[in-house]
Amino acid sequence: MIQLLFFAFRIYELILIVRVVMSWVHPYRDNAFSDWIYKLTEPVLEPIRSVLPTGKIGLDFSPLILLLLLQILRRIILQSFYGF
């Protein structure tokens, strides 16, 4: 069961990385795949963006923050499940 949860975490992390790369390569959402990626990631990224300060450089750090939060959550689950 725990392995399935960690597998889901890994899949979501990969989807998030795909979104970041797609935003660099082709920033416009113009096909079903990019819309699907956007729909999977935007509900989680938007609350993070709302608490991050807006800077003048225009970089979106919300995917990085989300990846870090997922790592922390994974460690918390691992520690609570296995007692490490």
Side-chain angles (χ1 to χ4, degrees):
M1 177 85 139
I2 195 80
Q3 290 176 345
L4 183 63
L5 181 63
F6 286 161
F7 180 71
F9 273 37
R10 177 55 80 188
I11 294 297
Y12 196 78
E13 289 169 354
L14 291 174
I15 290 171
L16 189 60
I17 291 169
V18 166
R19 178 185 168 137
V20 169
V21 171
M22 283 175 38
S23 72
W24 297 338
V25 175
H26 193 354
Y28 305 107
R29 298 180 317 147
D30 62 351
N31 60 32
F33 179 73
S34 60
D35 286 342
W36 179 75
I37 295 289
Y38 182 83
K39 287 178 184 177
L40 285 175
T41 57
E42 190 58 27
V44 182
L45 291 174
E46 183 58 35
I48 296 171
R49 272 192 218 106
S50 68
V51 296
L52 287 177
T54 56
K56 295 180 181 180
I57 55 175
L59 291 176
D60 183 14
F61 289 106
S62 60
L64 178 62
I65 301 295
L66 181 55
L67 285 172
L68 290 172
L69 289 174
L70 287 172
Q71 290 294 320
I72 291 169
L73 185 58
R74 181 182 298 157
R75 286 184 185 230
I76 290 171
I77 291 170
L78 189 65
Q79 287 176 351
S80 66
F81 192 73
Y82 289 113
F84 292 142

